[in-house]
Amino acid sequence: MKTRLLAATAPIVLGAVALAGCAGTGNAETVNSTTRTPPATIPQATGYFAQESTLPFHAPDFTKFKDEDFRSALEQGIAIQLAEIDAIANNPDAPTFDNTLVAMQRSGQMFLRAYYPFGQLTAANTNDTLDAIDKDISPKLAAMQDAIYLNDKLFQRVKAVYDNRAAMSMTGEDAMLLETAYADFVHAGALLDAKQKEELKAINGRLAGLETEFSQKLTEATAAKAPIFDQASDLAGLSQAEIDAAAKLATEMGHPGKYALALINTTQQPQLTSLTNRASREKLFKASIDRTSGGDQYDLTATIEEIAQLRATKAALLGQPNYAAFALYDRMVKDPAKAISFMQDFVPAVAATQQRERTMLEEMAASEGQNIKLEPWDWSYYAEKVRKARYDIDDATVKPYFEVWKTLEDGVFFAANKFYGISFKRRTDLPTYHPDMRVYTVYDKDGSEMAVFYFDPFARPNKQGGAWMGNFVEQSYLLGDKPVIYNTQNITPPAPGEPALATADDVNTMFHEFGHALHGIFASQQYPSLSGTNTARDFVEFPSQFNENFAFFPEVLNNYAKHYQTGETIPAELVQKIEAANKFNQSLSFGELLASALLDMKWHDLTPANAKVDAAAFEKAELAEMAPLDATLIPPRYRSPYFRHIWSNGYGAGYYSYIWTEMLAHDAWDWVVKNGGPTRANGDHVRATFLGQGHTKDYADMYRDYSGHDPQIAPMLEARGLSGQ
C-alpha cells in the first residue's frame, strides 16, 4: 500500500502531501511571468524543523527531536504555510504560472519537514504523546487545507492562468500541473458560495477528527483484543516458537502464565491455518471479526456511520450524486459504475470456485471424521490441509528459505539491479526511529546517488497493521530534492536468538512494497505534487503489483531463497508446489478481496437521503446482495468497523483499485514475457514509460506508451487460475 497523508484532501498545494534532464521548468521565460516577490510577513520558524536536515538527502535526524516537539513544529508549519499562501493570493502582480502555480509548489516546506516523519511515526511507532498530537492536529490540518482551497483570491489566480493556458508555452509537466491544480480546487469546493464553503469547512473538520479517532482506536483495539488462552494445549498445531511468543505477549498484556495471539489487521488470522483445536480457531476468528463492534470502548460502528453520512453530505454539497462519484474525479477509472461492472465480471468465476473448493474442504474434514458444517474459522485450516495434501507444503517447510534480510538484499535488491541497473549499499550513519530498521543508499546505473531507502520489517504492538510505503523527502527538481523513502511491514518478529524468517506471503509483500519504493526512487519530476507515487489510487498500486512478479522469477529466487541453516537453494519441486498452490484457494484470497472492494463501493454509493444506516444491518444486507459470492462463509478481507483503508487511509471508494491495478500488472508482465523477459532493455522501457513518469501524463496514455494497447483482463484470469471457470 502507498500511504496517503491528508488523504481526505486534495494534495496539489502542499507539493506532495499525498502519501504513494529536467521535465517542465515552469520558469518566468516559459510563461512570460515576473519573479518579483510580493511583500508578505512570513512567521519565522524555530526548532529542529525550521531548517532542512543536514543529513544526506535531508533525511530526518531522529536523534534531534522529541515526540512532543511535533506539536509546535506542526503548528508553526501550518502558520507559515498559510502565510505563504496568503502572499501568493495577494500578489499585486498579474497571475502567471510562475508566481502562482510554481509558488504554491514551493510553499509549505517547513510543514512537510515535520509532517512526513510525524505521519510515519504515528503509523509505525506511535505512543500516547504522538496519538494526542495527532488527534489535536487533524482538525487543524483539515482547516489549513480548507483555508487554501477555499481561498477565493488564490483560486481566481489559478483560474486566470488556467483560462489563459492556450496562449502559454508550457511543457507537458507544466500543463499537467495546471490541469490537476485547477481540478483539485474545483473538487475541494472553490466554486461554492460563501455559505456553502462554511458548511464544507465544518464537514471537513469533523471528518478529520473522526478519521483520526477511527485509526487510533483501531490500532488500540487490534492490540487489546488479542485473545487470551489458558494453556499451551489450546494452541496445539502452532510451533514452539509461536507458543513461546504467545506466552511472552500474554505476560506483556498482564496475563502471566497464559497465552495471547496478536491480531493482524485482516479478518483472517495466520494461525487459523495451524490451530488444531476448533474452539481455539473460533475464539481467534471471533476476536478478529468483533474487535471494533463489541459495544465497548473500542466499538467503531457509530464512528463509521457518521463518516458515511458526512461523506454523502459532502458529495451532495459539491454537486455529486454520492461520495464514489466525488472520489473518482482524478482516477484512471473515472466512473463508479465502470469500477463496479469491472469487479462484477469476476463474480461468476469466483462463486464457482467457492462452491468447488468448499466441497473439497468438507471432504477433507469428513476424511478425518469431522462431519461438520464448515464455518469461517474452519476454511483456512482445511484449505491448508488440502494444500499440504496436494502440494505437500506449509509455512514450516517454506519459511526456512526466506530469511528476512537475505530476501531483501539478495532478492528484492538483486532483482532491481538486474532489471534496472540500480544498486544498494547499507549505511549505519543515519538514525532510525526503531533499532530493527536498516537504511541503504540507492545508486543509479551510472553510479550516482539517487535515493535513501529505510526498511522497517517487524510487527510490534504500537504499529498499524498491514504494509506500506511513504516518503520522508519527495523528489523534485524544482526544490533540488532527491527521494528519501521507507517501506514498512508487519512480519512476525523472531524469538530471541532465532533468525527472522518470512512466509511466502511476507516475501510477496516485500516485493510489492518495494515496487512502490521504485516508483518513488525513479521519480524524475520538476514538481513535487506530480512526483513519483503521487498518482491516482487506481494507478499507484500498479507498479507495486508489477514488481511482485520478481519474487518467484527463477534467477531472482535462486539468489535469495537459501535455507538459513544449510545454505541449500530452495528446491525446484518446492517452488513448483508453491506456484501451483498460489492458484489454489482463490475462494479466500480473491473472494475476500472482491467482497471488500464491493462493500467499499456500497458504503460510498449512499446519498444524504439514505445515508443514516445501522452499520451492522447495512453490511449484512449488502453482503447478502453479493450472491452468488458466499460472503458469510468467506467474509470480506476487512469488515466495515475495521476497514482502515476506506475510513482513515484515503481509500474510500477506492479499494477496487487493488483489483484494477492487479489487472494492469498482469497485463504489463505479459508484455515483458512476450518481449524477451526481464532484460535490462525492458527495464529501461518500464522506467521510461511508467515507473519514472509520476503523474506527468494521462494514466491511460502512459499505459499505452508502455504496452501499445489498452489493459486486458485475460492475463489476470490466467494468473489467478480463474480462466477456466
Side-chain angles (χ1 to χ4, degrees):
M1 181 179 76
K2 160 60 180 173
T3 188
R4 293 281 171 142
L5 305 178
L6 297 188
T9 55
I12 202 77
V13 169
L14 295 179
V17 170
L19 283 178
C22 290
T25 58
N27 57 26
E29 290 75 22
T30 301
V31 292
N32 192 29
S33 72
T34 177
T35 58
R36 183 166 71 86
T37 303
T41 302
I42 307 297
Q44 293 299 304
T46 60
Y48 169 77
F49 296 105
Q51 305 296 329
E52 286 187 324
S53 167
T54 58
L55 293 181
F57 291 73
H58 307 306
D61 189 341
F62 292 97
T63 69
K64 294 291 180 66
F65 52 86
K66 299 177 181 178
D67 292 338
E68 55 265 29
D69 294 338
F70 281 112
R71 186 181 299 277
S72 174
L74 292 170
E75 289 175 346
Q76 289 185 63
I78 290 171
I80 292 169
Q81 167 78 16
L82 291 176
E84 291 168 340
I85 290 297
D86 187 62
I88 297 168
N90 290 289
N91 188 337
D93 294 337
T96 66
F97 185 88
D98 187 62
N99 69 20
T100 303
L101 279 302
V102 175
M104 288 192 291
Q105 291 290 293
R106 294 184 183 277
S107 71
Q109 295 309 303
M110 189 270 178
F111 170 75
L112 293 178
R113 286 195 292 271
Y115 191 59
Y116 281 149
F118 175 75
Q120 173 62 354
L121 288 174
T122 55
N125 204 44
T126 197
N127 54 46
D128 290 345
T129 298
L130 291 170
D131 283 348
I133 297 171
D134 194 21
K135 184 176 181 179
D136 292 344
I137 209 73
S138 292
K140 297 177 182 179
L141 298 180
M144 175 182 71
Q145 289 288 88
D146 284 340
I148 295 168
Y149 281 99
L150 300 182
N151 183 323
D152 190 60
K153 286 185 178 180
L154 182 65
F155 174 62
Q156 292 304 323
R157 293 184 67 86
V158 172
K159 186 175 184 300
V161 179
Y162 181 78
D163 290 344
N164 192 42
R165 64 193 183 280
M168 298 180 183
S169 174
M170 295 189 291
T171 67
E173 187 175 347
D174 293 340
M176 181 61 74
L177 178 67
L178 181 57
E179 290 285 344
T180 55
Y182 181 79
D184 285 342
F185 269 93
V186 173
H187 181 73
L191 296 178
L192 299 179
D193 62 31
K195 182 179 179 181
Q196 290 171 324
K197 286 180 179 179
E198 290 305 310
E199 183 180 353
L200 181 61
K201 289 178 184 179
I203 292 172
N204 287 342
R206 180 60 178 162
L207 279 172
L210 288 169
E211 289 164 6
T212 299
E213 175 188 327
F214 177 91
S215 183
Q216 291 183 356
K217 276 192 176 183
L218 177 52
T219 298
E220 294 170 6
T222 301
K225 295 300 183 70
I228 306 296
F229 299 87
D230 292 329
Q231 47 198 5
S233 60
D234 294 335
L235 304 185
L238 302 187
S239 69
Q240 188 58 50
E242 290 173 315
I243 293 173
D244 291 344
K248 182 174 181 289
L249 178 59
T251 299
E252 292 172 352
M253 294 178 66
H255 300 281
K258 296 189 177 184
Y259 303 84
L261 295 179
L263 298 179
I264 64 171
N265 58 325
T266 56
T267 297
Q268 295 291 331
Q269 301 295 306
Q271 299 91 341
L272 290 172
T273 64
S274 305
L275 287 168
T276 59
N277 186 316
R278 194 179 189 216
S280 295
R281 295 200 303 271
E282 181 179 3
K283 183 174 183 177
L284 175 59
F285 178 85
K286 288 184 174 178
S288 172
I289 208 164
D290 294 334
R291 72 186 80 173
T292 49
S293 56
D296 57 14
Q297 71 268 34
Y298 300 112
D299 193 307
L300 286 168
T301 53
T303 303
I304 65 172
E305 288 167 3
E306 186 175 358
I307 292 174
Q309 291 176 45
L310 287 170
R311 287 180 177 176
T313 301
K314 176 177 177 175
L317 182 63
L318 290 163
Q320 297 297 327
N322 51 53
Y323 189 82
F326 167 79
L328 267 63
Y329 84 106
D330 63 347
R331 307 288 168 84
M332 187 174 181
V333 179
K334 294 179 170 58
D335 182 3
K338 180 179 179 181
I340 293 171
S341 176
F342 165 73
M343 290 188 287
Q344 288 178 334
D345 285 345
F346 289 100
V347 168
V350 175
T353 301
Q354 287 179 340
Q355 291 300 317
R356 176 173 53 83
E357 292 186 342
R358 176 177 184 166
T359 299
M360 293 167 55
L361 304 193
E362 289 173 339
E363 289 174 349
M364 172 59 73
S367 73
E368 296 185 340
Q370 300 294 316
N371 295 309
I372 60 174
K373 176 189 176 184
L374 204 66
E375 298 286 357
W377 50 86
D378 297 317
W379 189 283
S380 292
Y381 179 72
Y382 287 107
E384 184 65 14
K385 283 184 172 290
V386 171
R387 185 193 305 273
K388 190 171 182 180
R390 291 194 169 200
Y391 311 109
D392 193 28
I393 59 171
D394 57 23
D395 281 349
T397 303
V398 173
K399 287 176 69 174
Y401 292 98
F402 297 141
E403 196 279 325
V404 168
W405 298 110
K406 188 170 186 62
T407 299
L408 177 71
E409 295 176 352
D410 294 345
V412 174
F413 291 171
F414 176 81
N417 174 260
K418 288 293 182 180
F419 198 47
Y420 302 110
I422 62 177
S423 57
F424 305 81
K425 183 178 180 180
R426 187 180 174 191
R427 60 191 308 162
T428 58
D429 59 322
L430 294 182
T432 62
Y433 57 81
H434 195 279
D436 287 345
M437 299 171 66
R438 290 189 184 181
V439 187
Y440 302 83
T441 299
V442 187
Y443 297 90
D444 207 345
K445 54 190 175 183
D446 63 1
S448 61
E449 292 183 335
M450 63 188 308
V452 169
F453 173 72
Y454 292 71
F455 188 50
D456 178 4
F458 300 120
R460 47 185 173 267
N462 64 341
K463 180 189 277 190
Q464 290 181 7
W468 62 93
M469 166 269 181
N471 286 65
F472 289 133
V473 179
E474 294 272 4
Q475 180 274 337
S476 167
Y477 293 126
L478 177 72
L479 303 177
D481 287 334
K482 294 182 178 182
V484 179
I485 290 168
Y486 53 83
N487 275 176
T488 313
Q489 283 188 239
N490 271 278
I491 299 169
T492 300
E498 296 293 323
L501 303 179
T503 66
D505 285 344
D506 291 332
V507 170
N508 197 64
T509 299
M510 199 179 299
F511 278 85
H512 175 102
E513 294 305 330
F514 197 73
H516 285 307
L518 287 170
H519 201 182
I521 288 168
F522 286 140
S524 183
Q525 281 70 60
Q526 178 78 353
Y527 305 117
S529 70
L530 303 178
S531 176
T533 58
N534 289 310
T535 58
R537 284 291 182 201
D538 57 2
F539 190 85
V540 75
E541 296 294 333
F542 162 40
S544 57
Q545 292 177 317
F546 176 82
N547 202 59
E548 292 176 20
N549 288 286
F550 289 102
F552 282 81
F553 188 75
E555 182 183 3
V556 176
L557 182 69
N558 292 336
N559 197 63
Y560 74 87
K562 311 281 188 179
H563 197 286
Y564 78 96
Q565 291 173 315
T566 68
E568 174 196 15
T569 300
I570 190 168
E573 58 270 23
L574 180 56
V575 175
Q576 291 170 1
K577 290 176 181 177
I578 293 172
E579 291 178 334
N582 284 340
K583 293 186 178 181
F584 169 68
N585 203 20
Q586 290 298 311
S587 297
L588 178 63
S589 61
F590 192 52
E592 65 171 3
L593 175 65
L594 185 59
S596 288
L598 288 167
L599 182 61
D600 168 33
M601 295 303 286
K602 294 294 185 179
W603 272 108
H604 294 104
D605 188 45
L606 296 171
T607 66
N610 63 11
K612 189 173 180 58
V613 298
D614 175 273
F618 176 81
E619 180 185 88
K620 182 178 180 180
E622 295 302 335
L623 293 180
E625 286 292 319
M626 294 179 192
L629 285 182
D630 191 343
T632 300
L633 182 58
I634 303 173
R637 183 171 175 82
Y638 305 98
R639 294 290 292 270
S640 299
Y642 52 89
F643 204 163
R644 190 193 301 271
H645 282 75
I646 69 169
W647 301 123
S648 67
N649 275 357
Y651 276 80
Y655 200 67
Y656 76 89
S657 62
Y658 283 102
I659 302 174
W660 176 263
T661 53
E662 182 181 343
M663 180 266 295
L664 295 178
H666 284 302
D667 190 55
W669 186 255
D670 186 63
W671 182 94
V672 170
V673 171
K674 290 176 178 176
N675 286 272
T679 62
R680 281 283 295 105
N682 283 342
D684 288 343
H685 179 66
V686 168
R687 181 173 175 178
T689 53
F690 70 83
L691 198 54
Q693 293 299 308
H695 185 201
T696 57
K697 297 181 180 179
D698 177 83
Y699 303 117
D701 290 343
M702 206 181 301
Y703 190 81
R704 283 189 289 268
D705 288 345
Y706 165 72
S707 67
H709 60 254
D710 289 330
Q712 300 171 359
I713 197 172
M716 178 176 171
L717 291 172
E718 178 67 26
R720 282 278 187 177
L722 297 169
S723 57
Q725 300 300 322

